Amino acid sequence: MQTPSRIELPLTSMSSSGCACCSTSQTLTVPSPVADVEYGVEGLTCGGCVTKVARAVANVDGVGSATIELIPGGVSRLLVTGTAGSDIIAAAVTAAGYGIINR
């Protein structure tokens, strides 16, 4: 199998302000993510429980990542990054069938 040839496109001249995507004349505001908000989750006993809660939290709008440190029979540690509020995180954990403690 042979890779098809690429067509070389000439660069166009840019104005002094740069291209439209890199122009410094516009200011882009991006919400800064919340770094590792910690919650306690009760009722997790195995990797299946961890997967269920992690998926539920990861599917919440504004969640960058969700990781869980499992403590069977105790309070497991849920770390969430992103801009989602604690109320919506708690609702996702509760909907998955587990208890949450906001630390």
Side-chain angles (χ1 to χ4, degrees):
M1 180 191 238
Q2 190 173 20
T3 305
S5 301
R6 293 186 182 193
I7 299 173
E8 295 294 327
L9 299 175
L11 294 176
T12 59
S13 61
M14 296 183 288
S15 66
S16 62
S17 65
C19 64
C21 67
C22 300
S23 175
T24 57
S25 64
Q26 296 177 350
T27 304
L28 178 62
T29 305
V30 177
S32 51
V34 177
D36 290 341
V37 177
E38 184 177 326
Y39 302 90
V41 180
E42 296 177 312
L44 302 177
T45 58
C46 66
C49 298
V50 169
T51 300
K52 185 175 181 180
V53 172
R55 282 186 185 158
V57 173
N59 286 329
V60 171
D61 284 340
V63 170
S65 68
T67 57
I68 299 173
E69 179 185 339
L70 176 64
I71 301 175
V75 178
S76 297
R77 186 173 169 216
L78 166 64
L79 293 175
V80 179
T81 59
T83 57
S86 60
D87 291 343
I88 190 112
I89 300 294
V93 172
T94 302
Y98 300 91
I100 188 162
I101 302 168
N102 193 359
R103 293 184 178 184

